[in-house]
Amino acid sequence: MNLIDTRAGDIVAGELSPTTGLKRVQTINDLSQSQIAAIRKIPSHDKAAPKAIEATRPVSIFLDQAHYDLEQKNVFRRFGVPVTLSALLAKPGSVIAHEGYGVPLLVTRDKEGKVRAFLNACMHKGSKLVEDCEPHKTNKMSCPYHAWTYALDGRLVGVPREETMQNFDKSKRGLAELACREAGGIIWVMLDQDASPDFSNMDDELTADLEAFDIPRMHVYGRKTFNLNANWKLVQEPFLEGYHVQRLHARTVGPLFADVPNVTSVLGHNIRQISGKMDFTPECLDIAGENIHKSVTHAYLVFPNTVIVTSPYYISVMFIMPSAPGKTVVDYVMLTRSGTDNEKAAEVYKRSYEMILNVFGNEDFRAAEISQAGLSTGALKDVVYCGLEETIPLYYSILERYL
């Protein structure tokens, strides 16, 4: 058994037993045709010069209540938005509550395996059926107040002392259902029950990419919620550019990455960025059996607010959910190929999880918070972007179509 080099906490080489989930790696041939074509466009570092751009955005988009309200109305309440991962509801008979968007939700997988979404409110007096936001294995949901009980398909199936209610019809008191869709390991939900369902931000090419990563079948290793004092777009910006990596992350993961532009593709409303790490050369793509994620990083912005970043043996997913102009909730999930079955594999995942929480929490998220504080002083009227940040104004051009 060869031990893995976990430089900066990231797994960069090595082999463990077949049942740990670490031995199975993805080669370039395991990816979608679209991913492969994009990877083949990555130039060698000496030929990857960033271009100069002229791009700004007003500071008001991060501060103003009116702008925030417009985003909520025209984006977050208009489209189905990413809410959670299929992996958190892996088996029939599962339920998870969700409150990141300020709307109490229930997401279930019924006994037939169908995913459904409801408002988390008992149809008696509105009490929440599930009070935490952890996944639960169950066939029924019972209100803690008066024990009205619901099946996972939303039907009201049990009412104590039902005989005391005249002309009462259980079939008319099912949970308030919301439109939802599941694809590529992500569950999208319409937050407004009265809006016409619009899932046009779900893209077939994006779904094919996420399926190629095997996200629907991955294992949830760890999950953490962050409550941040920053606008959601400031939290999202670092994951749309490489300009900060060798600077903000100089003492952690920065040395692993080259200071070069990404290969960027727009997939419907969504953005895919692919970049070669510090040791990348085009020739490494043709090494038989080589783990593609050792030399290439994929970063996705799933419209409007979810980030997916690949690493050699795990994938990070962040649901970046606005709760006020200067407040954001981030639900971070670390996905692995499977669980662990020995101490060395467990230690590798443990160190990787601690490392990534430190990098995102104490570096990327901290940068968003100190930027929010600085922008709130009124010192700046606009924010300027450089050539290594060109994907940020690209994203805003997509978002602004609806504002």
Side-chain angles (χ1 to χ4, degrees):
M1 180 186 297
N2 299 324
L3 189 59
I4 290 175
D5 172 11
T6 53
R7 177 182 50 175
D10 207 349
I11 306 168
V12 294
E15 181 178 316
L16 291 175
S17 67
T19 57
T20 62
L22 293 183
K23 185 175 182 181
R24 180 173 175 265
V25 299
Q26 284 198 311
T27 69
I28 190 171
N29 294 323
D30 295 321
L31 301 181
S32 72
Q33 291 303 307
S34 176
Q35 288 169 321
I36 294 171
I39 289 171
R40 291 291 183 186
K41 293 179 182 177
I42 302 175
S44 57
H45 293 330
D46 60 344
K47 297 179 180 178
K51 62 184 180 182
I53 66 170
E54 182 178 359
T56 63
R57 285 300 185 279
V59 169
S60 60
I61 71 171
F62 306 110
L63 304 179
D64 288 0
Q65 183 69 48
H67 190 87
Y68 174 86
D69 292 343
L70 199 62
E71 293 171 340
Q72 289 295 306
K73 176 183 176 183
N74 289 358
V75 177
F76 288 93
R77 298 302 190 270
R78 170 178 172 173
F79 294 102
V81 293
V83 166
T84 192
L85 292 170
S86 301
L88 284 164
L89 297 164
K91 296 181 179 180
S94 301
V95 60
I96 190 170
H98 187 282
E99 298 191 4
Y101 291 105
V103 179
L105 304 174
L106 290 171
V107 184
T108 71
R109 190 180 298 280
D110 66 21
K111 63 181 181 180
E112 278 75 42
K114 181 179 179 179
V115 167
R116 300 173 184 268
F118 307 94
L119 293 174
N120 188 5
C122 177
M123 299 304 284
H124 176 213
K125 289 191 176 181
S127 299
K128 291 180 182 178
L129 300 179
V130 180
E131 297 180 72
D132 62 31
C133 292
E134 299 301 318
H136 295 276
K137 195 77 172 61
T138 183
N139 291 318
K140 295 178 181 179
M141 301 171 288
S142 185
C143 175
Y145 195 174
H146 294 98
W148 284 31
T149 300
Y150 301 83
L152 294 182
D153 61 8
R155 290 178 297 115
L156 177 60
V157 295
V159 177
R161 303 305 304 266
E162 184 180 347
E163 76 277 6
T164 66
M165 300 180 186
Q166 287 188 354
N167 302 316
F168 181 75
D169 184 351
K170 286 200 298 286
S171 68
K172 296 180 179 179
R173 287 276 174 172
L175 295 177
E177 189 163 6
L178 302 172
C180 73
R181 300 284 188 276
E182 180 180 25
I186 295 176
I187 297 168
W188 281 262
V189 176
M190 288 292 300
L191 299 180
D192 184 349
Q193 63 179 324
D194 297 321
S196 298
D198 187 340
F199 294 93
S200 58
N201 49 330
M202 295 172 60
D203 179 81
D204 289 344
E205 196 171 356
L206 171 71
T207 299
D209 282 11
L210 302 186
E211 286 283 352
F213 288 149
D214 211 30
I215 285 179
R217 291 158 290 279
M218 292 185 79
H219 170 74
V220 176
Y221 175 83
R223 181 170 170 238
K224 182 177 175 63
T225 299
F226 296 84
N227 291 284
L228 305 177
N229 293 315
N231 183 271
W232 68 281
K233 298 184 296 300
L234 286 178
V235 178
Q236 197 161 271
E237 280 196 2
F239 304 102
L240 289 167
E241 51 95 347
Y243 185 37
H244 74 287
V245 175
Q246 289 196 0
R247 295 146 189 104
L248 180 65
H249 303 312
R251 296 184 179 181
T252 53
V253 297
L256 299 176
F257 296 90
D259 204 28
V260 295
N262 300 319
V263 173
T264 301
S265 305
V266 177
L267 314 177
H269 293 77
N270 313 286
I271 296 176
R272 178 182 65 203
Q273 302 168 92
I274 299 178
S275 59
K277 293 185 179 179
M278 183 62 78
D279 57 355
F280 172 85
T281 62
E283 292 75 25
C284 75
L285 300 176
D286 297 313
I287 301 174
E290 184 76 352
N291 183 352
I292 188 63
H293 302 302
K294 285 170 54 179
S295 54
V296 173
T297 296
H298 293 75
Y300 288 80
L301 192 289
V302 180
F303 188 85
N305 63 322
T306 297
V307 170
I308 299 173
V309 182
T310 62
S311 295
Y313 289 91
Y314 63 92
I315 291 178
S316 293
V317 183
M318 283 162 277
F319 298 89
I320 300 172
M321 298 168 286
S323 55
K327 301 283 185 181
T328 301
V329 177
V330 179
D331 190 7
Y332 170 80
V333 183
M334 176 173 157
L335 296 172
T336 57
R337 298 285 167 204
S338 71
T340 57
D341 67 352
N342 64 62
E343 291 184 4
K344 289 188 176 181
E347 180 62 21
V348 166
Y349 283 147
K350 178 176 180 289
R351 282 186 287 170
S352 295
Y353 185 61
E354 291 172 350
M355 180 277 298
I356 205 67
L357 290 182
N358 174 57
V359 170
F360 291 159
N362 294 324
E363 296 178 1
D364 291 297
F365 298 163
R366 172 178 166 270
E369 290 192 313
I370 61 177
S371 293
Q372 184 76 29
L375 295 178
S376 299
T377 66
L380 291 75
K381 300 304 179 186
D382 61 13
V383 176
V384 63
Y385 301 98
C386 75
L388 285 170
E389 299 173 293
E390 64 177 340
T391 309
I392 297 176
L394 170 62
Y395 167 74
Y396 288 146
S397 71
I398 297 172
L399 181 66
E400 289 158 2
R401 296 174 193 170
Y402 305 100
L403 303 184

